[in-house]
Amino acid sequence: MLKKGRGTLETCKFWLLDINYEVKDHKPEVWLWGIDENGRRVLVIDKSFQPYFYAVLKDSEDPRKLYERIINAKENLPFITGIELVDKRFFGKPVKAARICCQDPDLIAQYAKAIRKIEGVEECLETDIRYSMRYLIDNELSPCAWHEVKVEEEPNTRGLQVDKIYSARSRPKRIEKEKIPHLRVLSFFPICYASQGSPKPERDPVVVIAVATNEGEKKIFMAEEYDDKRLMKSFIGYIKAFDPDIIVGYQTNQEYWQYLTDRAATLGINFLIDRAGTQPHRSVYGHVSITGRASMDMFDFADELPELKVKSLENMAAILGVKDLKEQKIIHELEYSDYWDDEGKRKELLMFASEKAECLLGIFDKLFMYASELSKLVGIPLDHIGKAAVGFRIEWYLIREAYKIGELVPERLEQRYLPYAGGMVLKPKPGVHEEVCVLDFKSMYPNIMIEKNISPDTYIPPSTKTDVEVNITPEVGHRFRKSPPGFYKVVLTKLISVREEIRKAMKKVNPGSIDYRLLDARQKAVKVITNAAYGYAGWVGARWFRKPVAEATAAWGRSMIMKSVNMAKELGLEIIYGDTDSLFIKYEPEKVEALVKRIQKELGLEIRPEKIYKRILFTEAKKRYCGLLPDGSLDNVGLEVVRGDWANVAKMTQEHVLELILKENSVSKAVEFVRSLIGDLRKHRIPYRDLVIWKTLTRPVEKYKVNAPHVEAAKVLKRMGWSLTAGDQVGYVIIRGSGRLYERAKPYVLASYEDVDVEYYIKNQIVPAALRILSMFGVKEKDLISAEVRRPKTLADFFSPST
């Protein structure tokens, strides 16, 4: 330790959990919340970092004259603290710029507007990078990583919930340390009572909050009948006492944090659950920030699971292997009030809430390493990472890389969407095929972008004359400089190299170890960001938006696929299907190996067998197939069984039909199963819940111009007082009666089995789902519904040469 001034300097090593900033009297402070090596919760406050932005000079401008004009303008811009002329690059082109320091980060937008008007200024850049993010970028710090900094301890005079408060006496720097500290994690699941329609915080109580922690504690907070004041105080007190680093919920960003905050206000309670004595507040990307902790809404990670078609907590838990769907109790929020009102059923509601809190803890355990590695890689905090779209994630990574090479970051501008041709999808050969190999191009689009030097800064517009060597895109003719390496090439080469190193390290550790899980999560995070580069280039929200970049990459991808298909045919391989960066080929090991080597040699792309299906069934439609994997599981893509707008009875029908076809080679058993299921439905032996059709509202109900069943069901609920908007799911059944289909849609909680139009479900749900498969074998609708069934084709018939 070193003596310096009034205090003692020491080195603090901490894992960064959260970051925010405060501005007092126009002076900013960066607050870094973390856990140190001894497991203490610490806050490091840095008051030394100056916010800034850039003014780019016009090409012909004299830098010294512009410098003087900006100096003169300082009289009206009193919080400018420094101006420095610097050499930078913008879209690869060298530019002169003035780096303008502004003491108050909240004044940057206002000051940039004034600077833009000064003669000789082309534009101002990096004005919209949040101060706390600027701090992380410039210091190369990352959330969910370890850092060290020279500090001096401060007394806790602000009432903050931490073990130590420090003032930074040096710039923090990142250190290599793998171990994740022990984090305190709390999950919760609330039940809001609704006296009429959707719960309203100014009117309706929170009757249950179930809590589970990663230290094995489970707790249920209950209202005293309909009085939730003690519940709310107890829940706040419990959070303060347990002092979690991470709070886990489901749809907390969309709904529950706001409801709890507003409900507490109605009760005259301050909902203070953070470490800084402030309430939860809405932040960037729409997530809710809880200062000093990380709030993680597991709903925001649903898009990371492509197999999750209906985004419910129950389905998410099932897909991740936390708890089987059949073992989970399901109570819809429309039913919460009925269960609470009925003392005989109230215990079921409590068990339901407790189960959900435990499931959330299990889901968190499955996803946390991936989320933390993604946060560390792209440099945005853990509570941002789930809510931020893929485009924003890769953009923050690009911003970090741009800073390192002196490339200025473009401002975000509104762009008009212009469609372009995407990846190639070949028409499948319908039917059942034995032994099919899926060849997957490894990082196809990123590798094309590297190979062809496709980047926003290497693009040469049609009107520009050039004598440099260029790569010319097939079909569309876009031109890209062959050298020097573009921004994207540099970034993607680095990412691919990093992933290779991680995968090599994985081979040296035990697959069951925590180290392996960590490395696997890391390589997945790198893969997601690498593969997002192509889509980002064509995303209208991108700072580095260049449509020709995305268009050219897709065109070269199509060219590569067709060349690969021709090579396969030359080797005598049968192509069954092709989709974007994958080829489905009849598996002949020696020929497939020869194809892999030839593609590598002639196209410079790595391709490898990703899956081998024992048997696979294709319909005539693209992107719809089901394959039997060697472990006996079914891999289903695009068929009704995984779509969210069919009743569960249809999914169940098709899933079992596929099993009987692909596993048992039996069309007759599949037909008999469907006929038996239809008989059970007519006798009301199929669970009522399996008849509910779930559909997501894509816009507010009043914005719909067409009459659709789920919209009509939503209108019924709205008339009853339920608040429904875009993103909400509506569950309905089709009831007996006359009129159009939408007129017979009724919210399922307002109907019963006796109301249901059973024949609708037979003819419009069960039979179509079954015939999507069975029609290939000559089965007709009448064969499934009538008493007599003519002999359908067998699989043997189907595999005959004439088929």
XYZ file of all heavy atoms in Angstrom, residues 15 27 56 161 203 235 240 243 249 284 289 306 308 453 522 526 550 555 575 592 597 653 657 686 786 802:
204
model
N -14.969 -7.687 -10.305
C -15.746 -8.190 -11.445
C -16.878 -7.203 -11.674
O -17.663 -6.921 -10.769
C -16.284 -9.578 -11.100
C -16.918 -10.356 -12.204
C -16.304 -11.167 -13.107
C -18.331 -10.461 -12.492
N -17.221 -11.769 -13.945
C -18.475 -11.353 -13.586
C -19.483 -9.909 -11.945
C -19.715 -11.687 -14.135
C -20.722 -10.224 -12.484
C -20.824 -11.112 -13.575
N -20.736 18.215 -13.268
C -19.533 17.377 -13.165
C -19.967 15.911 -13.121
O -20.728 15.510 -12.243
C -18.743 17.736 -11.901
C -18.178 19.150 -11.930
C -17.502 19.491 -10.618
C -16.998 20.934 -10.626
N -16.403 21.317 -9.313
N -15.986 16.970 -37.568
C -15.193 16.620 -38.752
C -15.067 17.844 -39.655
O -16.061 18.534 -39.939
C -15.849 15.450 -39.524
C -15.048 15.109 -40.777
C -15.962 14.224 -38.623
N -25.971 0.594 -0.629
C -25.917 -0.772 -0.120
C -24.738 -1.531 -0.723
O -24.891 -2.388 -1.593
C -27.231 -1.521 -0.385
C -27.304 -2.846 0.382
C -28.654 -3.533 0.252
O -29.534 -3.081 -0.476
N -28.818 -4.626 0.964
N -55.639 0.059 -8.736
C -56.873 -0.545 -8.226
C -56.664 -1.953 -7.666
O -57.258 -2.310 -6.639
C -57.871 -0.600 -9.388
C -59.206 -1.236 -9.103
C -59.977 -1.454 -10.396
N -59.369 -2.507 -11.218
C -59.658 -2.715 -12.502
N -60.520 -1.925 -13.114
N -59.062 -3.685 -13.166
N -41.641 -7.915 0.660
C -40.862 -8.239 -0.542
C -39.685 -7.288 -0.690
O -38.547 -7.712 -0.943
C -41.769 -8.170 -1.777
C -41.073 -8.485 -3.075
C -40.434 -9.698 -3.264
C -41.058 -7.560 -4.119
C -39.791 -9.997 -4.467
C -40.420 -7.852 -5.321
C -39.785 -9.068 -5.493
N -33.738 -6.344 0.098
C -32.686 -5.609 0.791
C -31.838 -6.542 1.657
O -30.608 -6.436 1.705
C -33.304 -4.513 1.667
C -33.817 -3.315 0.896
C -32.664 -2.487 0.382
C -33.132 -1.200 -0.272
N -32.005 -0.456 -0.861
N -29.955 -9.046 -0.622
C -29.023 -8.230 -1.402
C -28.538 -8.955 -2.660
O -27.343 -9.197 -2.845
C -27.827 -7.840 -0.521
C -26.940 -6.776 -1.180
O -27.443 -6.050 -2.061
O -25.750 -6.696 -0.816
N -36.614 -12.587 -13.662
C -38.062 -12.659 -13.799
C -38.442 -13.038 -15.214
O -37.587 -13.343 -16.056
N -32.250 2.338 -21.818
C -32.112 2.089 -23.253
C -32.662 0.714 -23.618
O -32.683 -0.203 -22.812
C -30.636 2.189 -23.701
C -30.154 3.609 -23.601
C -29.735 1.270 -22.881
N -33.860 -0.755 -15.477
C -32.580 -0.750 -14.779
C -32.805 -0.687 -13.278
O -33.632 0.087 -12.792
C -31.745 0.449 -15.232
O -30.525 0.504 -14.526
N -34.237 -20.875 -31.161
C -35.055 -20.948 -32.378
C -36.155 -22.003 -32.309
O -37.176 -21.884 -32.972
C -34.038 -21.287 -33.483
C -32.819 -21.768 -32.775
C -32.814 -21.115 -31.439
N -38.040 -22.495 -29.824
C -39.114 -22.000 -28.962
C -40.068 -21.159 -29.802
O -39.835 -19.989 -30.054
C -38.526 -21.162 -27.817
C -39.516 -20.608 -26.797
C -40.187 -21.732 -26.016
C -38.823 -19.664 -25.823
N -13.306 -9.127 -49.285
C -13.055 -7.798 -48.685
C -14.301 -6.905 -48.772
O -14.210 -5.718 -49.121
C -11.861 -7.118 -49.354
C -11.220 -6.065 -48.451
O -11.352 -6.113 -47.226
N -10.531 -5.110 -49.043
N -18.704 -19.080 -24.398
C -17.908 -18.024 -25.047
C -17.895 -18.197 -26.553
O -18.064 -17.240 -27.307
C -16.488 -18.046 -24.478
C -15.592 -16.908 -24.948
C -14.312 -16.859 -24.139
N -14.615 -16.660 -22.733
C -13.771 -16.948 -21.744
N -12.588 -17.448 -22.007
N -14.122 -16.720 -20.491
N -19.342 -15.640 -29.515
C -18.537 -15.178 -30.649
C -19.206 -15.560 -31.961
O -19.267 -14.760 -32.912
C -17.109 -15.760 -30.579
C -16.316 -15.389 -31.833
C -16.380 -15.247 -29.340
N -24.609 -6.004 -47.944
C -25.460 -7.173 -47.696
C -25.856 -7.845 -49.007
O -25.861 -9.077 -49.122
C -26.704 -6.742 -46.918
N -25.320 -12.419 -52.805
C -25.106 -12.845 -54.205
C -23.935 -13.818 -54.300
O -24.009 -14.842 -54.993
C -24.857 -11.627 -55.090
N -28.572 -34.448 -54.552
C -28.933 -33.283 -53.733
C -30.417 -33.380 -53.394
O -31.262 -33.404 -54.284
C -28.658 -31.959 -54.473
C -27.213 -31.898 -54.971
C -28.973 -30.759 -53.577
C -26.179 -31.814 -53.897
N -18.887 -37.833 -50.127
C -19.078 -36.619 -49.326
C -17.725 -36.061 -48.898
O -17.477 -34.840 -48.951
C -19.969 -36.906 -48.087
C -19.885 -35.753 -47.084
C -21.413 -37.118 -48.516
N -13.464 -31.777 -49.550
C -12.093 -31.375 -49.918
C -12.088 -30.482 -51.155
O -11.338 -29.509 -51.232
C -11.246 -32.618 -50.157
C -10.916 -33.389 -48.879
C -10.099 -34.645 -49.179
C -9.773 -35.397 -47.885
N -9.051 -36.668 -48.152
N -51.028 -34.420 -32.847
C -51.364 -35.338 -33.943
C -50.185 -35.494 -34.887
O -49.735 -36.610 -35.186
C -52.577 -34.801 -34.737
O -53.695 -34.700 -33.860
C -52.916 -35.717 -35.908
N -47.754 -38.751 -35.648
C -47.749 -39.302 -37.011
C -46.313 -39.366 -37.534
O -45.886 -40.376 -38.116
C -48.635 -38.444 -37.949
C -48.349 -38.776 -39.421
C -50.106 -38.672 -37.642
N -60.085 -35.742 -24.985
C -58.873 -34.931 -25.179
C -58.957 -33.742 -24.217
O -60.003 -33.094 -24.112
C -58.786 -34.405 -26.633
C -58.794 -35.573 -27.633
C -57.543 -33.538 -26.824
C -57.621 -36.501 -27.528
N -63.792 -41.609 -42.091
C -64.802 -42.655 -42.302
C -64.420 -43.942 -41.583
O -63.269 -44.137 -41.182
C -64.976 -42.925 -43.800
O -63.757 -43.438 -44.323
N -40.671 -46.084 -58.974
C -41.664 -45.264 -59.680
C -42.105 -44.061 -58.880
O -42.757 -43.179 -59.385
C -42.889 -46.116 -60.015
O -43.480 -46.595 -58.821
